[in-house]
Amino acid sequence: MSQHFLLSSKARIISVRKIASMSENECYEYFKSIRWSSNKGNPICPTCGSASSHYFIESRLQYRCKDCFHTFSVTSGTIFHSHKLDFKVILLAIVIFSNATKVISALQLSRDLDVQYKTAWVLSHKIRENLMTSDSGNKFSGVVEMDGVYVGNYIKPANNINDRIDIDEKLLSLINELSYLYEKEIYLEAELVKLRPLS
């Protein structure tokens, strides 16, 4: 029987110890090298695909393309694009999640990363969702070991600005509906008073 993958040296490319010993800048550079591995860690504009000419905005850790003037970061277009977490925390979450032999709970992840439970929950679900959607189409060969996982079937719709209803509009429609019902009730009471026999 062949050796389990998690026991092999290939599974020890990146470890919690290695990430924990890195500085935030080193974690950023490592994330960049993974993100744009096809270009040796050099940024590629997600809009026009230009890989050669970019300004680096150091204060915001963002790039501006010289060709299309689009501003982007190393997390643009990834599952981490809306997170304001440190790169060390993001890399630690990936390593802890991927190195776990069994499932890791959001509570355990929140304790390990020292973040709120909600942050850990969203982070773990985003990683799971990405694992489910990133299908390269390649077939496995040799001995393949699989575990089952159930990820919820409801996909939250995108937060489109055109579909939003302003709170003021909701409140106004509720007030109009209530005032209509109130007027109807007063009208019915008046009609009932008219129908009552005089005693």
Side-chain angles (χ1 to χ4, degrees):
M1 185 169 184
S2 62
Q3 186 182 27
H4 192 280
F5 173 75
L6 292 174
L7 297 174
S8 68
S9 61
K10 290 179 184 176
R12 284 180 268 133
I13 294 171
I14 186 168
S15 66
V16 175
R17 181 180 175 188
K18 182 178 177 183
I19 298 297
S21 65
M22 288 181 174
S23 68
E24 182 62 22
N25 193 35
E26 289 173 328
C27 287
Y28 175 76
E29 291 298 324
Y30 190 72
F31 195 94
K32 200 168 81 165
S33 69
I34 295 169
R35 171 75 169 98
W36 292 304
S37 58
S38 61
N39 199 26
K40 298 179 181 172
N42 296 321
I44 301 170
C45 178
T47 306
C48 68
S50 173
S52 58
S53 53
H54 305 292
Y55 298 109
F56 182 62
I57 306 166
E58 196 168 341
S59 60
R60 294 176 5 196
L61 292 178
Q62 290 181 333
Y63 295 91
R64 181 160 295 136
C65 181
K66 288 182 184 176
D67 297 333
C68 67
F69 302 107
H70 178 72
T71 303
F72 61 96
S73 69
V74 71
T75 57
S76 295
T78 69
I79 59 173
F80 306 110
H81 73 277
S82 62
H83 282 282
K84 293 179 175 67
L85 295 171
D86 295 338
F87 288 100
K88 187 180 252 189
V89 173
I90 291 172
L91 286 173
L92 279 170
I94 293 169
V95 171
I96 290 169
F97 192 87
S98 61
N99 285 348
T101 53
K102 301 262 183 202
V103 68
I104 185 160
S105 68
L107 188 61
Q108 179 66 42
L109 195 62
S110 73
R111 278 185 259 146
D112 290 345
L113 299 176
D114 193 23
V115 294
Q116 294 287 327
Y117 169 77
K118 207 171 187 178
T119 304
W121 188 86
V122 168
L123 204 53
S124 62
H125 272 268
K126 284 197 173 219
I127 293 170
R128 283 187 189 105
E129 185 182 329
N130 194 41
L131 287 172
M132 299 298 283
T133 56
S134 62
D135 181 19
S136 62
N138 299 334
K139 290 186 177 181
F140 296 112
S141 61
V143 178
V144 178
E145 297 182 24
M146 293 178 15
D147 286 335
V149 64
Y150 176 77
V151 180
N153 60 353
Y154 175 74
I155 298 172
K156 186 177 177 182
N159 189 3
N160 191 354
I161 195 163
N162 298 327
D163 298 336
R164 292 182 193 161
I165 299 173
D166 194 14
I167 288 184
D168 294 338
E169 289 177 23
K170 283 183 182 177
L171 193 59
L172 190 62
S173 66
L174 183 65
I175 288 170
N176 287 338
E177 192 175 324
L178 288 175
S179 64
Y180 170 73
L181 291 173
Y182 183 69
E183 286 172 10
K184 195 171 181 182
E185 188 179 327
I186 290 173
Y187 175 75
L188 286 173
E189 281 182 16
E191 292 296 315
L192 285 173
V193 168
K194 284 181 190 174
L195 292 173
R196 284 190 195 143
L198 295 170
S199 43

